[in-house]
Amino acid sequence: MALTQSIKKTLDNLTTAMHNTGILCAVMLDTKGPEIRTGFLKEGKPIEVIQGQEITISVDYTIEGDSDIISVSYEKLAGVLKPGDVLLCSDGAISLTVLSCDKDLGLVRCRCDNSGVLGERENVSLPGIVVDLPTLTEKDKEDILKWGVPNKINIIALSSRRGSDPDEVRKVLGLRRNSMLVMPKIENEEGYANVDEILKKSDGLVVVRGGLGMEMSTEKIDRAQRRMIRKAMKHAKPIVTAIQMPQTTLESMSLTTPPPPTDEDDVTNVTNAEALASNPDPLEEELTKAFRKLTDCVMLSGVTADVGADPETTVQTMSRICKEAENSIDYKAVHKRMKIYYDTVPKGLPPFESMAASLVGSTILWAEAKAVVVVTHCGNKAELVAKYRPSVPILAVLDLSFHDSLARIASRGLLYRGIIPVVGAGGFYTVHDKALFGIQFAKKEGIVKPGDLVLALLMSGGSAPITKPLMPLPPRASVFLSPSLLFSSLSRSSSRVCVEREGPSTPSSPATTVPLHVLEQLHHAGDAIDHVRDPPLHRPIPDSPTPFQFYTVSLR
């Protein structure tokens, strides 16, 4: 009860902080899930196991263990194991090799592969073994329905092994199934083997490197992580990487005095989060690796929740490392690998996705844009842009007419790499008003500055075209259709487009703020352009069968 009240107080503090700062934040409920744990020990004292010694494991959970016998909570243990299989206890600190199994008596005889200390109720992992455990425990269901739903939690994370697991969570939610995102955690080999089916049924994935590390080598984890990120990107779903940190590093963050240095562990001098900021090697390596593999989010729950002495400094350190890692990414190389570089778009894409790929791979680079504004009803359009990993921020301006789902859409956007949800206070009745609001927000937050070029990607919301005049616009703003999107849209529609720019060109006042090579591309478009003239036009966009219109807004 006290823990629940403490968590509720933390959530209330977060809500207050969001109101005070205007910064949106998504909240995840990480369910505990079914577990296999060791049992209680005589007098509650930890036992020491010696490498080479033999020990018996019983499925009778009432047994109080000692150095000869311990119990586990999985009743089918003796039936699923065979000689040669391995059990890992206490986060992999103790390894046991199976010698024999007695299914009738529920006993497993093992040999200790290493020495260590085993406490009560330590977790147990069975690498490569398919276990028959429920998706959710009764405690998980209670947490979701009696705490998550009333407190309007945005995301539910669950340990997942099978493709049907996300459906089990939605059954529990019932009519509220669309109010929360369901994100399975892939933290064992069984879940990784079924990741395709799991991803199809989920709203995203969480890659738990620590859990996978108990069943896979580091090299295999890295390959698995890259593969899962690619799969999530293919489906335009967010993927979170839960960073694996050495236990010695996590423990050292809670200390107030330096432990004595050892040759075995070069990070024991990290005594707390402030020390971590000055010596971030273990954290920096994992975060940089995740970012360069193009993950959407990173998570470091151990430091901020369990043993972290200064979570605020830790988060600031994580943010700094992530920004440095992102700045080091060669996006041209990334887009070449994705086959969207320099107006090359994969065949067979839906029209809007083709345009989004062209925007990311060509137009942003050509126009030297600093941000992209996407006006969206349900967030899908901004998510398709994020799928192709643009090198600039995506401001997703949400439609306020969808009040009931606004929080869900905004929280989902926070999970995607590069997306910044922008929610107005009302009074924006056209997509143009919303686009300009997004641009002003970008200026206010320092994302762009006067003189930067911003790309705006708009949709009318149906088959009807946008008929609102493009002018008047803010003073000294120019509007033009970028070439790659122009060619992409013309290939699917016979519509004609308007191109607007500023007043007469003079030596001290150029005719346009866009790079010369982009302007030349526009002129080469020939009769596809209705007008390129001075002064700016004051008329609607011509009727068009396509619901999409694209333009850029340059601020001075």
Side-chain angles (χ1 to χ4, degrees):
M1 186 67 176
L3 178 61
T4 301
Q5 292 175 346
S6 175
I7 297 174
K8 181 62 168 64
K9 182 178 179 180
T10 300
L11 184 61
D12 291 341
N13 290 340
L14 175 63
T15 302
T16 301
M18 285 193 286
H19 288 159
N20 292 341
T21 63
I23 299 174
L24 297 176
C25 185
V27 179
M28 174 187 287
L29 171 59
D30 187 3
T31 58
K32 194 175 185 65
E35 297 177 305
I36 303 176
R37 289 191 174 271
T38 61
F40 294 99
L41 301 173
K42 291 180 179 179
E43 299 180 0
K45 295 180 179 179
I47 61 173
E48 183 178 3
V49 296
I50 308 299
Q51 182 177 6
Q53 86 170 70
E54 294 186 7
I55 189 169
T56 299
I57 300 177
S58 173
V59 298
D60 182 357
Y61 209 55
T62 62
I63 292 177
E64 291 187 350
D66 54 29
S67 58
D68 295 320
I69 185 170
I70 60 173
S71 64
V72 296
S73 60
Y74 186 43
E75 295 180 352
K76 299 180 181 180
L77 184 72
V80 299
L81 294 177
K82 63 183 184 300
D85 287 338
V86 174
L87 295 86
L88 299 175
C89 304
S90 187
D91 292 326
I94 296 176
S95 175
L96 306 173
T97 298
V98 177
L99 300 177
S100 63
C101 301
D102 189 326
K103 185 176 179 181
D104 295 331
L105 296 177
L107 299 175
V108 178
R109 190 67 175 171
C110 298
R111 181 184 63 248
C112 299
D113 298 325
N114 63 306
S115 301
V117 177
L118 182 68
E120 293 185 325
R121 294 190 51 77
E122 298 282 7
N123 57 40
V124 178
S125 176
L126 308 177
I129 304 299
V130 177
V131 296
D132 183 16
L133 292 172
T135 301
L136 297 172
T137 65
E138 291 303 315
K139 177 65 164 58
D140 294 332
K141 295 176 183 178
E142 182 179 336
D143 288 342
I144 292 172
L145 294 178
K146 294 186 178 181
W147 197 88
V149 172
N151 287 289
K152 298 182 179 180
I153 297 301
N154 308 112
I155 308 157
I156 297 177
L158 69 149
S159 181
S160 184
R161 294 175 176 268
R162 300 168 292 269
S164 60
D165 289 346
D167 290 337
E168 293 297 318
V169 178
R170 294 190 176 98
K171 286 181 183 178
V172 172
L173 288 170
L175 297 176
R176 305 179 186 88
R177 59 184 174 272
N178 292 326
S179 64
M180 298 183 188
L181 302 176
V182 177
M183 297 190 68
K185 297 181 292 183
I186 307 301
E187 51 188 352
N188 49 63
E189 284 192 295
E190 186 181 354
Y192 176 59
N194 296 319
V195 69
D196 289 327
E197 289 301 314
I198 293 172
L199 185 58
K200 288 179 183 178
K201 299 290 187 68
S202 68
D203 296 305
L205 289 179
V206 179
V207 180
V208 184
R209 287 183 60 92
L212 290 172
M214 294 179 64
E215 304 189 11
M216 297 180 179
S217 66
T218 301
E219 294 76 13
K220 189 173 181 180
I221 294 174
D222 290 342
R223 290 195 298 270
Q225 181 180 345
R226 283 193 297 268
R227 181 168 174 259
M228 286 187 277
I229 290 174
R230 287 197 298 267
K231 288 179 178 293
M233 288 172 60
K234 180 180 179 181
H235 292 277
K237 293 183 178 181
I239 185 162
V240 178
T241 299
I243 297 301
Q244 178 186 18
M245 288 290 290
Q247 185 64 26
T248 51
T249 301
L250 295 181
E251 292 171 351
S252 67
M253 291 177 187
S254 65
L255 303 176
T256 57
T257 57
T262 65
D263 294 334
E264 290 77 18
D265 191 354
D266 62 355
V267 295
T268 52
N269 62 330
V270 184
T271 60
N272 51 33
E274 291 184 0
L276 176 65
S278 63
N279 186 12
D281 288 350
L283 178 61
E284 185 165 3
E285 181 180 356
E286 290 295 331
L287 290 175
T288 301
K289 186 188 301 181
F291 252 81
R292 288 179 176 171
K293 290 174 183 173
L294 303 180
T295 191
D296 287 281
C297 299
V298 291
M299 183 168 68
L300 192 60
S301 58
V303 173
T304 56
D306 296 336
V307 298
D310 191 349
E312 181 179 354
T313 303
T314 302
V315 172
Q316 291 172 348
T317 302
M318 290 177 65
S319 176
R320 175 185 59 77
I321 294 172
C322 290
K323 289 177 181 178
E324 291 175 357
E326 189 166 14
N327 290 336
S328 70
I329 294 175
D330 183 352
Y331 279 97
K332 290 183 180 180
V334 169
H335 298 150
K336 285 180 179 178
R337 289 197 300 269
M338 298 173 71
K339 299 181 180 180
I340 62 171
Y341 181 65
Y342 202 74
D343 215 25
T344 300
V345 177
K347 295 181 180 179
L349 295 179
F352 188 94
E353 184 172 351
S354 178
M355 295 176 186
S358 181
L359 170 76
V360 174
S362 301
T363 311
I364 290 175
L365 297 176
W366 281 352
E368 299 177 8
K370 301 302 181 183
V372 175
V373 173
V374 182
V375 176
T376 177
H377 290 288
C378 58
N380 292 339
K381 306 309 175 187
E383 291 160 11
L384 281 176
V385 177
K387 170 182 176 178
Y388 292 98
R389 300 300 191 257
S391 58
V392 299
I394 307 163
L395 292 107
V397 182
L398 302 179
D399 194 324
L400 293 174
S401 61
F402 292 81
H403 294 290
D404 294 338
S405 59
L406 192 62
R408 183 176 188 272
I409 295 169
S411 62
R412 190 177 72 193
L414 289 168
L415 289 170
Y416 283 83
R417 186 181 181 118
I419 291 183
I420 303 173
V422 180
V423 182
F428 304 106
Y429 301 106
T430 70
V431 290
H432 304 280
D433 294 334
K434 296 166 187 173
L436 296 176
F437 174 73
I439 294 169
Q440 294 301 324
F441 175 87
K443 287 182 65 179
K444 177 183 176 183
E445 296 299 319
I447 299 170
V448 296
K449 61 182 183 301
D452 287 344
L453 198 69
V454 177
L455 294 171
L457 179 56
L458 312 182
M459 180 179 178
S460 67
S463 58
I466 299 172
T467 56
K468 170 73 178 177
L470 291 178
M471 300 299 290
L473 290 170
R476 298 190 65 76
S478 64
V479 179
F480 75 99
L481 189 75
S482 54
S484 62
L485 293 179
L486 168 66
F487 301 144
S488 183
S489 62
L490 289 178
S491 67
R492 294 174 177 80
S493 168
S494 59
S495 65
R496 298 165 70 82
V497 298
C498 294
V499 177
E500 303 179 359
R501 62 187 176 94
E502 294 186 41
S505 180
T506 67
S508 60
S509 176
T512 179
T513 60
V514 303
L516 180 60
H517 60 279
V518 175
L519 185 62
E520 290 173 346
Q521 290 284 343
L522 288 172
H523 284 293
H524 292 330
D527 62 359
I529 300 176
D530 277 334
H531 299 281
V532 179
R533 72 179 192 188
D534 303 311
L537 301 173
H538 291 264
R539 67 178 193 75
I541 298 176
D543 289 345
S544 162
T546 177
F548 309 115
Q549 300 290 345
F550 305 87
Y551 61 84
T552 63
V553 178
S554 177
L555 300 175
R556 288 191 176 184

